[in-house]
Amino acid sequence: MIKLTINNQPYEVDASPEMPLLWAIRDMVGLTGTKFGCGMAQCGACTVHVDGNPVRSCSFPVSAAAGKKITTIEGLSERIGEAVKKAWIELQVPQCGYCQSGQIMSATALLKNKPKPTDADIDAAMQGNLCRCGTYQRIRSAIHRASEMIQS
Amino acid sequence: MANQLTNIDRRNFLRLTGITGAGLVLGLSAHADGVATVENLAAAGESFELTPYVLIEKSGQITIFNTKPEIGQGTFQSIPALIAEELEVSLDKVTIQHTGGEKKFGGAQFSGGSASVRTSYTSLRKVGASAREMLITAAATHWNVPVSECYASDAKVFHRPSGKSLGYGELAEAAARVEVPKEPRLKDPKDFTILGKPSPRPDVPLKVNGTAQFGIDVAVPDMVYASIERCPVLGSKLVSYDDSAAKKVKGVVAVEKCERIHGVYRSEGVAVIAETYWAALQGRKALKVTWDYQGNDKFNTKTYEQSLRDASKQEGAVEHSQGDFDKTFAEAPVKLEAFYETPIVSHSPIEPMNCVASWKDDSLEIWTSTQVPGRIMDDFTKTYGIAPEKLKIHVMFNGGGFGRRLYPDYVHEAVQLTRKIGRPVKSIWTREDDTRMGPFRPMTFSAMKGALSADGKAIAFQHKVISPTLDMRKDYDKTKADGTMTEGISEQKYEIANMKNLYVHHYLHLPLAAWRAVTSTTLAFSHECFIDEMAVKAKKDPMAFRLGMLTKESDTKNLLNKLKEVSHWDKPLPAGWGRGVAQYEFFAGLGGFVVEVSKKGTGIKIEKVYAAIDLGTVVNPDTVEAQVQGAAVMALTAAVKSGITFENGQTVQSNYHNNQLIRINEMPKVEVHILANGGPRIKGVGEPGLPPFAPALCNAIYAATGKRIRRLPFDINKIV
């Protein structure tokens, strides 16, 4: 049994240690907001925060997450996360929406480190998150908008 | 008697939809001539040939049924909005429910061809308007006042002189007994509060907090997971397999064969079924499978492409002919020829193919992300011998469609597996499965010919398409021109007197599929780049050359003039910059781009992108802007990323690391202009923004560098 703390809730999962954290979150804990896209940290749909840092959970062994603070889209509740979600709705960012949990997790991590990111900062922080629908322009605008919300 | 039948039908309807306490149910009858009339379900009697679109319950609950799966294109808002606008309710007071292919909901339960809004615009407004008028009549009757003194607003009917009101729920039952108006009065567009205005989509909040349910998110009791090994050499046959090691993996419960069915393309795979998906993946790795490649391991795209070039020498079937192309071309003072090539590409939606299926006794239940619930209902009842009322399809939010989810091959596999093992099965393709297995958008090659008069006017034009076909029927006639594979090449509005467009079919054994904007995605590139070549040969400005061939009024002419204006086409650019224009009209609609690029080292940088889309009528401009921006991203990926290539019968690409998509840092801003000036033809939104992007980009590259790009993909960093 591996002990996990996800969104401040304790869980015990019966998983082999090398199993990616993603499948523990989705299939064992039942939080499906975190998505499977590629299985090799190429698309970012599975992004969660582990001790506040964005991590591709499809390529992160569940054993390495034991004892750490894991946050998924469902648990994103502090000020910056709320601002990001609000900006995402205000600018109607999602199309199909499948990658957006990951985009929001990456954007929140960016704004925690850089509350006023430049376009170059956004490029650097967000290029690990693919969007096949092509919502990039609105993602960029929404990050700037969330940044404004945080400042005010 | 009539009343009894009415009651039975209503009960049937309730059973069908699982909704209780029905009041007013309005639907559309589907007439053979394509005209739909609004009918009252409760009064339908025996016929019951209705598409119920709106249900108002006594509780006041309003449900609008959406027959167009939400794949990111916004039908979860745009389709219900057509009804809600006329019904005078705001969308946030409405429950929107996806239909699941049920016969009662009619035959057009799919999302594809940018067809949803353009084919429903008037008929669904009539549904809403009829309901509104019936509710008003019911209220007026109740109050014993003239109908003219009553109006509807915010899900209530008001009596203007007294100010009293009744909610729709209170009126529903009485309204159901009112005769359906023959010609309901539609609202004047100037009074619209939803249509034509940027409106928030009700699915967006769910997609921001992680609660939107995609197919892959479905879990049902006792469910097991499947991962399926299929031969990486496409077109192979399964000979045998050894599952002894796979079955030793902890959690594996069964290993079973299943067949992937994609039109005439069929192939067997071996599924490892386990208590967790991770265990299924480990079990799959432990399988030992023997395949018969059927000689397909010799296939590679390089050789195939050469065979397409060779096939271009065939005369081909005439797709369209006007004037006398052969004579005019032969005698023309100035002529030019060029050959254009495009690649195979993948759809690669970020949600991999998946399906949950549960077969119990003689009933089948399916939960999946699909564009085609109607087709699944039709095909699966036949293929598996299930009564339509025993098949329940739950259409989930699609994590991308792009044409891939028009094909339920992945649903077939899950259905066969649940039937075999007697437990609900969730089958999930890996990204590698998705990349390697297709189905793929085929390439098209194009042999272009054009002729100019001595004063530089286009007098003859020929577009010959050489390609495999998307037609998967066994009786496909390869001697005929294939309308899908020549899509749009004879629909452009350019006034060129002599034209002869041709088609040459060339066989390809791979599973193929429509891809967003179908064949226009490749043909617009050859077509509009060659028009540019003609302009250069005529020593004319490419915009002026195009407009010179558009003397009659047309949407294309308006679109190009709009692009000319918003891009400041006539304003000189900085040194080292170039701009290009392209437009394309096809079944789905009409779009165009002006792209500006600058030289950057050996490559180019995209500086500015102006897009225009002509709709005639717009429902949600905010969605349209997003769709066109997204189409540009997808078009850029198809133009400059690897595409899919084959060596030894297998795809060279396997996942996003070598089948790359454009990322945020590579995408310039796209400024979108919507033309919605009325007109008889409402055009589509999802696709028309895609085809003209690559030719506008390549025409801009020519303008900046003098390098003419005739083959996609190309390396944007190595142009000169």
Side-chain angles (χ1 to χ4, degrees):
Chain A
M1 287 300 220
I2 296 169
K3 287 184 182 177
L4 297 174
T5 305
I6 305 176
N7 304 331
N8 297 318
Q9 294 289 313
Y11 295 94
E12 281 195 12
V13 295
D14 180 14
S16 54
E18 77 284 3
M19 186 178 88
L21 174 61
L22 171 68
W23 300 112
I25 292 171
R26 286 184 55 85
D27 292 349
M28 294 175 166
V29 174
L31 294 170
T32 55
T34 306
K35 304 301 186 194
F36 168 55
C38 69
M40 59 182 296
Q42 287 291 313
C43 78
C46 65
T47 306
V48 298
H49 295 173
V50 175
D51 286 343
N53 299 312
V55 157
R56 313 296 182 211
S57 65
C58 76
S59 304
F60 192 86
V62 62
S63 51
K68 301 203 163 107
K69 190 172 152 22
I70 301 158
T71 307
T72 70
I73 186 74
E74 292 91 344
L76 199 62
S77 58
E78 35 54 69
R79 203 169 69 92
I80 293 175
E82 288 298 337
V84 171
K85 287 194 280 187
K86 214 170 147 194
W88 243 246
I89 292 172
E90 188 179 310
L91 293 169
Q92 296 280 296
V93 174
Q95 290 186 28
C96 89
Y98 191 77
C99 72
Q100 297 296 339
S101 299
Q103 305 279 2
I104 288 167
M105 297 310 284
S106 291
T108 302
L110 163 66
L111 287 167
K112 274 183 186 162
N113 292 327
K114 286 193 173 152
K116 283 186 186 175
T118 62
D119 278 348
D121 293 333
I122 293 172
D123 279 352
M126 300 302 293
Q127 62 177 274
N129 289 81
L130 288 174
C131 175
R132 186 56 158 158
C133 297
T135 62
Y136 299 131
Q137 193 165 329
R138 289 193 180 185
I139 288 172
R140 189 185 298 283
S141 303
I143 291 172
H144 287 308
R145 179 75 189 104
S147 169
E148 282 170 23
M149 289 180 191
I150 299 162
Q151 314 301 321
S152 64
Chain B
M1 190 62 194
N3 274 340
Q4 269 182 331
L5 285 170
T6 298
N7 289 338
I8 290 163
D9 282 335
R10 193 186 281 194
R11 271 203 300 277
N12 277 338
F13 176 75
L14 296 181
R15 193 165 46 81
L16 190 74
T17 56
I19 288 162
T20 55
L24 176 61
V25 186
L26 283 192
L28 284 172
S29 66
H31 294 293
D33 59 3
V35 180
T37 51
V38 181
E39 293 189 32
N40 185 338
L41 187 71
E46 282 178 288
S47 66
F48 207 74
E49 291 305 311
L50 288 166
T51 304
Y53 273 103
V54 58
L55 165 68
I56 302 171
E57 294 174 78
K58 282 191 256 185
S59 63
Q61 171 78 51
I62 301 171
T63 303
I64 293 180
F65 298 95
N66 180 16
T67 58
K68 310 296 183 189
E70 172 62 57
I71 57 178
Q73 87 286 40
T75 47
F76 204 65
Q77 188 272 336
S78 58
I79 292 295
L82 298 173
I83 295 172
E85 175 70 61
E86 297 286 348
L87 188 56
E88 299 291 359
V89 293
S90 64
L91 273 186
D92 54 14
K93 300 234 171 78
V94 167
T95 301
I96 302 159
Q97 193 173 313
H98 278 130
T99 64
E102 299 90 341
K103 285 270 179 280
K104 304 299 179 196
F105 290 98
Q109 294 177 58
F110 73 96
S111 287
S114 307
S116 298
V117 165
R118 67 183 168 91
T119 58
S120 314
Y121 184 74
T122 304
S123 57
L124 289 188
R125 283 177 60 204
K126 279 185 181 171
V127 170
S130 297
R132 181 192 71 225
E133 290 191 1
M134 291 162 81
L135 289 156
I136 290 175
T137 302
T141 306
H142 179 78
W143 291 323
N144 197 20
V145 299
V147 163
S148 59
E149 290 182 358
C150 303
Y151 67 97
S153 174
D154 196 22
K156 286 190 190 106
V157 178
F158 290 85
H159 180 232
R160 194 172 280 110
S162 67
K164 61 189 169 188
S165 67
L166 282 167
Y168 283 1
E170 298 167 282
L171 291 166
E173 210 165 11
R177 291 194 293 271
V178 173
E179 198 180 335
V180 179
K182 291 226 159 35
E183 273 304 318
R185 199 178 50 80
L186 297 178
K187 285 172 76 174
D188 187 326
K190 76 174 165 42
D191 298 327
F192 283 166
T193 57
I194 309 172
L195 302 186
K197 307 196 160 26
S199 307
R201 290 164 43 209
D203 48 324
V204 162
L206 312 175
K207 291 172 174 178
V208 165
N209 65 18
T211 57
Q213 284 260 307
F214 297 85
I216 203 169
D217 301 328
V218 172
V220 300
D222 198 36
M223 182 179 85
V224 283
Y225 296 82
S227 183
I228 304 163
E229 179 71 10
R230 305 169 196 83
C231 188
V233 176
L234 289 158
S236 300
K237 277 200 168 149
L238 174 65
V239 176
S240 63
Y241 62 91
D242 173 358
D243 60 9
S244 50
K247 281 183 165 164
K248 282 183 194 136
V249 172
K250 191 187 159 200
V252 170
V253 296
V255 178
E256 294 285 354
K257 287 196 286 188
C258 60
E259 187 181 35
R260 178 181 177 208
I261 300 174
H262 179 73
V264 290
Y265 185 92
R266 294 187 176 214
S267 60
E268 271 191 317
V270 182
V272 177
I273 301 162
E275 297 292 351
T276 67
Y277 185 57
W278 184 248
L281 287 174
Q282 306 316 305
R284 180 177 166 189
K285 278 186 204 156
L287 278 178
K288 291 190 187 81
V289 188
T290 308
W291 306 100
D292 176 356
Y293 299 140
Q294 308 267 307
N296 288 316
D297 56 327
K298 311 282 189 299
F299 176 80
N300 67 73
T301 25
K302 233 177 195 162
T303 310
Y304 182 77
E305 287 171 353
Q306 187 52 47
S307 72
L308 282 173
R309 287 178 206 118
D310 295 343
S312 74
K313 294 179 180 71
Q314 295 170 33
E315 174 58 28
V318 177
E319 189 264 341
H320 172 82
S321 180
Q322 65 191 44
D324 189 338
F325 171 83
D326 291 325
K327 185 167 181 287
T328 315
F329 186 77
E331 295 170 1
V334 183
K335 48 188 137 188
L336 61 163
E337 292 186 42
F339 198 76
Y340 282 82
E341 304 184 350
T342 62
I344 294 173
V345 296
S346 64
H347 301 80
S348 301
I350 313 283
E351 182 190 12
M353 295 309 107
N354 65 82
C355 177
V356 174
S358 177
W359 192 301
K360 287 211 172 90
D361 304 319
D362 57 351
S363 298
L364 174 61
E365 204 164 353
I366 290 167
W367 295 259
T368 196
S369 303
T370 178
Q371 297 177 238
V372 288
R375 180 179 165 186
I376 293 176
M377 180 61 74
D378 288 346
D379 289 2
F380 282 53
T381 47
K382 285 187 200 107
T383 305
Y384 300 103
I386 311 159
E389 63 273 16
K390 298 282 188 182
L391 173 56
K392 174 78 186 158
I393 302 161
H394 304 265
V395 174
M396 311 306 294
F397 284 124
N398 283 227
F402 317 115
R404 173 62 183 94
R405 288 186 162 97
L406 292 170
Y407 307 92
D409 51 335
Y410 55 97
V411 182
H412 277 290
E413 292 172 331
V415 166
Q416 294 162 24
L417 293 173
T418 178
R419 190 183 199 177
K420 281 187 176 174
I421 71 157
R423 286 177 74 179
V425 170
K426 182 193 240 181
S427 164
I428 307 174
W429 290 35
T430 62
R431 178 56 51 196
E432 287 77 9
D433 295 335
D434 178 76
T435 310
R436 290 191 178 287
M437 293 297 124
F440 307 100
R441 181 200 75 176
M443 69 280 272
T444 61
F445 282 21
S446 293
M448 313 298 298
K449 285 184 183 177
L452 302 166
S453 61
D455 61 348
K457 290 218 167 69
I459 53 173
F461 183 89
Q462 179 167 88
H463 190 156
K464 182 198 280 188
V465 180
I466 309 99
S467 77
T469 181
L470 287 172
D471 194 319
M472 294 191 287
R473 285 173 295 194
K474 275 188 182 137
D475 57 354
Y476 176 74
D477 185 351
K478 60 183 187 182
T479 63
K480 291 211 169 106
D482 185 326
T484 299
M485 302 316 296
T486 55
E487 191 181 285
I489 62 171
S490 303
E491 285 180 51
Q492 306 315 309
K493 293 291 183 288
Y494 301 132
E495 295 146 12
I496 305 175
N498 304 289
M499 191 183 295
K500 187 161 88 171
N501 291 332
L502 303 164
Y503 180 65
V504 176
H505 171 259
H506 196 63
Y507 179 73
L508 181 59
H509 72 288
L510 302 172
L512 301 175
W515 189 86
R516 186 179 189 178
V518 202
T519 319
S520 298
T521 65
T522 54
L523 298 178
F525 165 65
S526 40
H527 208 92
E528 278 291 281
C529 286
F530 190 68
I531 291 285
D532 227 65
E533 293 202 55
M534 291 174 75
V536 171
K537 194 88 172 173
K539 298 190 172 57
K540 291 193 178 155
D541 170 78
M543 182 70 87
F545 183 74
R546 283 175 172 81
L547 287 169
M549 295 189 288
L550 295 165
T551 62
K552 293 176 208 145
E553 285 311 307
S554 67
D555 293 340
T556 304
K557 185 179 180 174
N558 292 340
L559 181 105
L560 286 175
N561 275 320
K562 182 75 181 177
L563 281 169
K564 187 180 171 190
E565 173 204 325
V566 298
S567 70
H568 312 285
W569 180 270
D570 293 324
K571 201 175 148 196
L573 290 170
W577 286 42
R579 55 162 74 91
V581 61
Q583 62 78 35
Y584 206 67
E585 180 160 14
F586 63 116
F587 76 90
L590 169 64
F593 283 92
V594 166
V595 175
E596 292 177 7
V597 303
S598 66
K599 281 198 253 186
K600 187 185 160 200
T602 57
I604 60 104
K605 177 172 181 254
I606 303 174
E607 298 283 355
K608 280 187 183 165
V609 180
Y610 304 91
I613 184 165
D614 184 276
L615 301 174
T617 298
V618 61
V619 166
N620 190 343
D622 192 60
T623 299
V624 175
E625 182 196 71
Q627 285 297 298
V628 175
Q629 288 170 344
V633 179
M634 197 157 181
L636 181 58
T637 290
V640 305
K641 298 297 182 182
S642 72
I644 297 290
T645 53
F646 282 80
E647 280 172 20
N648 304 319
Q650 311 183 23
T651 64
V652 172
Q653 296 74 21
S654 59
N655 201 320
Y656 290 130
H657 67 294
N658 55 10
N659 182 34
Q660 294 201 5
L661 309 179
I662 289 291
R663 293 176 183 272
I664 194 170
N665 55 308
E666 300 170 292
M667 192 61 209
K669 260 192 190 172
V670 179
E671 182 183 307
V672 179
H673 298 268
I674 300 166
L675 283 87
N677 305 322
R681 186 179 161 211
I682 300 177
K683 302 187 194 72
V685 170
E687 293 167 296
L690 207 148
F693 180 83
L697 170 63
C698 292
N699 292 339
I701 290 171
Y702 178 82
T705 67
K707 170 92 177 188
R708 177 62 67 184
I709 291 165
R710 297 195 185 90
R711 179 178 159 91
L712 300 181
F714 64 94
D715 187 341
I716 203 163
N717 298 314
K718 282 184 195 143
I719 303 286
V720 286

